[in-house]
Amino acid sequence: MLENLFSPFRIKTCQLNSRIVMPPLASFLIEDDGSVTDKTIEHYRKRASGGPAMVMVEAHATSPEGVVSSHQARICDDRYIEGLSRISSVIRSEGAVPAIQLHHAGRQTSIKVIKRKPLAPSNLPCPAIKGEVEPLSKSEIQRIVHDFGDSASRALQAGFQLIEIHGAHGYLLNQFLSRFSNDRTDEYGGSQEGRCRFSMEIIREIRKRVGPDFPLSFKISAQEFVPNGLTTEESIELLRLLIPCGLDIIQISAGNDASPEWIAQPMFMEKACLAESSGKIRKALQFPVMVVGRINDPLVANEIIKEGKADLVCMGRGLLADPEMPKKARENRLDDIRTCIACNTCMESIFRRGRVECLVNPSLGREQQMAIRPADKSKKVMVIGGGPGGLEAAWVAASRGHEVHLFERQSQLGGQLNMGSMTKYKKELLTLIRYQTRQAEKFGVKLHLNSDVTPDLVREEKPDVVILSTGSTPVKPHVPGIEKAIVRMLPDILNGSKPTKKKTIILGGGATGCEVAHYLGDHQCDVTIVEQLPKVAEQLESITRKVLLKELRERKIRILTSCRLSRVEDHGVFVTDQQGTETFLEADAVVIAVGSRPDNSLYDSILSMGLPVHRVGDCVEPRSAKTAILEGAIAGREI
């Protein structure tokens, strides 16, 4: 069924047993001095053991001032060779080809990180980081070219079998290639050949260091989606200049520092959203390419290869979500794949928490401490609540040998994720529930649906341990008129039926309120969001937030911030701004999306029975599905 995906491929001396590549992704498992740890090694071992043909380790800085973060991997000194050798060795031992990406941040770093002004082609600051930059002199350009060569020599010494040059995503080489960031008037700017010169010199220098038979890749943002940025058509012409310098394959990506949504595409975007661009480049150049961009499904990946849009597919976040995806796909166990839902939790956790985490895979970055081991003694475990946290706890506990009974008051599993998946772009949430349900069935969890648990039922079941995952209940604001017929709660809207109330006020501009507005906008409703805070969707990951707000504007959703609800009338609401001015907003429906409170009514009763109780997710306090799943995973392992 997936014969194209699992056909062999060769890049010079590099023999691949399939078309699946894990592209470089920051692990944030690197020490401040750039050294690797046992956690780093285990992270890459886990990815390699799952069956990809090649694992490219994360971007490695070739110069000290080219570091984008204190946790970035480095290859700018011989002292890093030993740790890199450990990584390449463990990848090879698991049957995958070890590859490495060489990188320089250029202007896309900060003085806080490198203790000097960032280097850039021109006096144009990074749009995202801002701050002054230092345009590169010709002698500094040559020094960086030499640094790339030295780094390639180290990569060869460390045992890597392919080197990729990072020429994408708004970093230094991309900055030279694009008129968006390069306005030089010397031989390193202006024409296509001038803007290519820096990359051409780096490719030639590396080729000189590694010899004629060693495989070299170049990653390009073939489309930048900014004024004066690269397009697929111009990238083809640039690649005509770069390829003869010594390249063997191209990785097609997109985006830069001003268009990050094209680097880590959120769930709004289509799967394999860069495959068409990749196909055009491959056809025009008659040259091997690999493509990245929301390829999270082996069936989609197989079609890309079958249709000739790429020679290799890069599955990055998909292998964070499930490192065993290639192995499961090869064995035709597609139902056992834990699919990436493009929520960008991995990106958010890096920027906000300084470590990479995954909503659907709580073991990411915790591979050693989250290993599943058989229980010392089998116990009867009662899980109350079949949302994502309860399901995770149930299947993990059952996989360890416990007798697990899961009770859910609704007719289906999934909790609030079922409601959340009603919006068009969040349909993939259902893949998470399907995965967890499949694991629960596989490991023998006894499911009791339509079961409202009472203290008497707990006594009757006689469990040894209880896992409480009862979720939360929505909150209604205490204002006059809140009980009027015009008021709707979220389940009244996200119930699968087409919305009929056209003029709608959404009270609450958090992530949920904005997502409901997006959903109603798709159904041609006239929507106004009312939010007490100065901004909406503040808790969302920044890339997802950027795209969501853009789509709300396209749907002409009205957003009123710093406003609170005063009272509800039969045909609308009164809201009050910070100056105390009251305004009437006409509406056919008022949707409440202001949050929820824990449903922990059973907790005290179960404690009084003397039973051990683990609480998971919203029943402790309302929070994210990621937290609920992590807590469920921990509870299932601790019993």
Side-chain angles (χ1 to χ4, degrees):
M1 182 172 67
L2 298 171
E3 60 272 12
N4 297 286
L5 187 61
F6 290 104
S7 60
F9 189 74
R10 190 174 186 86
I11 314 169
K12 283 194 171 169
T13 57
C14 205
Q15 182 65 43
L16 306 181
N17 62 13
S18 78
R19 306 302 182 95
I20 300 174
V21 173
M22 180 177 177
L25 293 171
S27 70
F28 266 62
L29 296 172
I30 305 294
E31 294 294 285
D32 286 351
D33 64 353
S35 59
V36 305
T37 68
D38 289 344
K39 282 187 176 182
T40 323
I41 303 300
E42 182 62 15
H43 172 78
Y44 282 111
R45 187 200 66 76
K46 189 73 172 175
R47 264 76 232 161
S49 68
M54 179 188 292
V55 173
M56 287 193 189
V57 299
E58 57 204 277
H60 279 63
T62 56
S63 307
E65 82 288 343
V67 176
V68 74
S69 136
S70 61
H71 289 288
Q72 184 179 356
R74 278 154 249 185
I75 194 169
C76 52
D77 191 278
D78 287 351
R79 70 178 182 272
Y80 298 116
I81 294 174
E82 182 182 354
L84 292 173
S85 299
R86 291 179 65 201
I87 294 177
S88 70
S89 177
V90 78
I91 292 172
R92 193 182 301 105
S93 72
E94 295 291 349
V97 170
I100 191 168
Q101 187 182 73
L102 306 185
H103 165 271
H104 193 296
R107 72 181 188 179
Q108 204 165 313
T109 185
S110 73
I111 195 168
K112 291 180 181 177
V113 174
I114 62 173
K115 312 305 179 190
R116 58 161 294 169
K117 289 182 185 178
L119 300 177
S122 308
N123 194 24
L124 298 171
C126 171
I129 299 173
K130 302 182 172 52
E132 291 184 41
V133 297
E134 180 182 317
L136 278 159
S137 66
K138 292 178 187 178
S139 62
E140 280 286 271
I141 287 173
Q142 291 309 305
R143 190 263 303 168
I144 292 174
V145 169
H146 190 267
D147 285 350
F148 268 89
D150 286 347
S151 297
S153 297
R154 294 183 189 107
L156 203 63
Q157 191 175 339
F160 289 97
Q161 295 176 260
L162 179 143
I163 291 172
E164 179 168 273
I165 304 161
H166 199 333
H169 299 172
Y171 294 117
L172 185 59
L173 275 70
N174 186 181
Q175 290 160 30
F176 271 89
L177 291 173
S178 175
R179 287 174 294 127
F180 174 73
S181 42
N182 183 351
D183 63 4
R184 294 176 77 107
T185 55
D186 64 3
E187 63 265 41
Y188 289 98
S191 67
Q192 289 179 343
E193 186 171 0
R195 286 180 280 122
C196 274
R197 191 176 307 280
F198 180 48
S199 293
M200 293 164 68
E201 290 177 352
I202 287 172
I203 296 166
R204 290 190 186 113
E205 179 69 18
I206 291 177
R207 176 56 70 199
K208 184 174 71 175
R209 301 295 191 98
V210 300
D213 298 323
F214 190 87
L216 289 187
S217 172
F218 189 91
K219 184 169 187 171
I220 188 169
S221 281
Q223 303 170 85
E224 290 187 284
F225 301 98
V226 294
N228 291 320
L230 297 179
T231 63
T232 299
E233 291 68 31
E234 185 177 16
S235 292
I236 288 171
E237 299 309 312
L238 297 179
L239 289 168
R240 290 191 198 280
L241 296 169
L242 296 176
I243 287 169
C245 297
L247 297 178
D248 302 300
I249 192 165
I250 305 296
Q251 184 182 156
I252 306 302
S253 189
N256 64 23
D257 38 349
S259 52
E261 64 273 21
W262 286 98
I263 298 173
Q265 302 87 357
M267 59 179 73
F268 290 98
M269 296 187 178
E270 297 293 327
K271 292 182 181 180
C273 53
L274 302 179
E276 292 302 319
S277 174
S278 170
K280 287 180 184 176
I281 292 169
R282 183 176 184 269
K283 183 177 180 181
L285 298 175
Q286 295 295 296
F287 193 76
V289 302
M290 48 183 148
V291 65
V292 72
R294 211 144 120 59
I295 305 170
N296 65 349
D297 184 333
L299 296 173
V300 172
N302 189 71
E303 285 303 301
I304 292 171
I305 304 300
K306 181 180 179 181
E307 293 171 6
K309 293 176 179 175
D311 299 279
L312 301 172
V313 288
C314 297
M315 306 175 86
R317 289 175 293 173
L319 291 177
L320 297 185
D322 191 340
E324 295 187 342
M325 181 211 291
K327 184 184 294 184
K328 292 174 181 177
R330 191 185 283 273
E331 295 170 358
N332 199 29
R333 295 191 290 126
L334 300 184
D335 288 344
D336 281 328
I337 292 173
R338 188 197 289 115
T339 303
C340 167
I341 59 174
C343 62
N344 271 349
T345 291
C346 48
M347 299 294 293
E348 176 192 34
S349 61
I350 284 175
F351 292 121
R352 294 190 182 183
R353 295 171 62 87
R355 57 175 294 166
V356 64
E357 295 178 341
C358 177
L359 185 151
V360 303
N361 179 12
S363 297
L364 178 62
R366 308 177 179 93
E367 278 80 8
Q368 290 170 312
Q369 65 264 44
M370 292 289 276
I372 296 178
R373 297 179 176 85
D376 294 333
K377 178 184 177 183
S378 179
K379 296 178 180 178
K380 182 176 182 180
V381 181
M382 185 177 189
V383 180
I384 305 173
L391 269 170
E392 187 76 15
W395 81 257
V396 169
S399 73
R400 297 180 56 233
H402 294 301
E403 177 191 342
V404 181
H405 295 255
L406 187 150
F407 293 79
E408 167 56 47
R409 63 162 61 105
Q410 304 295 331
S411 59
Q412 59 181 341
L413 298 168
Q416 294 187 33
L417 288 192
N418 288 312
M419 186 170 63
S421 68
M422 290 297 171
T423 58
K424 179 177 68 175
Y425 75 94
K426 294 185 77 174
K427 290 291 183 190
E428 284 177 80
L429 287 175
L430 295 176
T431 65
L432 170 56
I433 297 306
R434 283 198 292 270
Y435 168 78
Q436 290 181 313
T437 302
R438 159 75 177 153
Q439 300 313 300
E441 292 168 346
K442 177 178 172 181
F443 291 111
V445 175
K446 296 172 179 61
L447 302 174
H448 307 266
L449 301 180
N450 299 303
S451 296
D452 204 351
V453 176
T454 63
D456 286 342
L457 181 59
V458 177
R459 292 187 188 94
E460 183 182 319
E461 285 293 318
K462 297 184 174 64
D464 299 307
V465 181
V466 174
I467 297 176
L468 200 60
S469 181
T470 45
S472 58
T473 56
V475 170
K476 278 187 180 181
H478 296 291
V479 298
I482 197 66
E483 301 299 334
K484 286 184 178 291
I486 192 175
V487 174
R488 300 280 190 275
M489 303 306 286
L490 290 176
D492 301 327
I493 304 300
L494 301 174
N495 58 11
S497 58
K498 185 177 179 180
T500 57
K501 303 294 186 182
K502 293 301 179 185
K503 187 168 283 192
T504 306
I505 306 291
I506 296 178
L507 185 64
T512 301
C514 290
E515 289 162 3
V516 173
H518 185 280
Y519 170 70
L520 294 175
D522 277 343
H523 289 85
Q524 291 74 53
C525 294
D526 178 357
V527 182
T528 299
I529 297 172
V530 176
E531 168 58 47
Q532 288 193 66
L533 298 175
K535 294 181 180 180
V536 297
E538 278 277 80
Q539 68 272 52
L540 270 182
E541 178 270 329
S542 60
I543 293 175
T544 302
R545 182 176 186 267
K546 177 184 177 182
V547 179
L548 176 57
L549 294 183
K550 175 177 173 286
E551 298 215 355
L552 291 182
R553 289 192 295 271
E554 290 172 353
R555 286 157 178 77
K556 296 180 169 57
I557 306 300
R558 185 183 180 197
I559 299 176
L560 299 179
T561 56
S562 301
C563 285
R564 60 179 177 82
L565 179 67
S566 302
R567 61 186 186 278
V568 181
E569 302 292 348
D570 291 330
H571 301 289
V573 300
F574 280 93
V575 298
T576 305
D577 63 19
Q578 284 186 315
Q579 286 71 44
T581 304
E582 195 172 61
T583 305
F584 180 73
L585 304 175
E586 186 182 348
D588 302 311
V590 177
V591 180
I592 305 299
V594 295
S596 53
R597 63 169 60 93
D599 179 2
N600 55 12
S601 54
L602 280 171
Y603 180 61
D604 290 337
S605 297
I606 296 171
L607 273 184
S608 69
M609 299 176 199
L611 292 172
V613 184
H614 298 260
R615 288 190 292 173
V616 167
D618 283 2
C619 71
V620 182
E621 62 178 2
R623 46 241 176 114
S624 66
K626 182 193 84 171
T627 302
I629 292 169
L630 173 60
E631 291 176 345
I634 292 171
R637 285 164 170 81
E638 285 182 346
I639 294 170

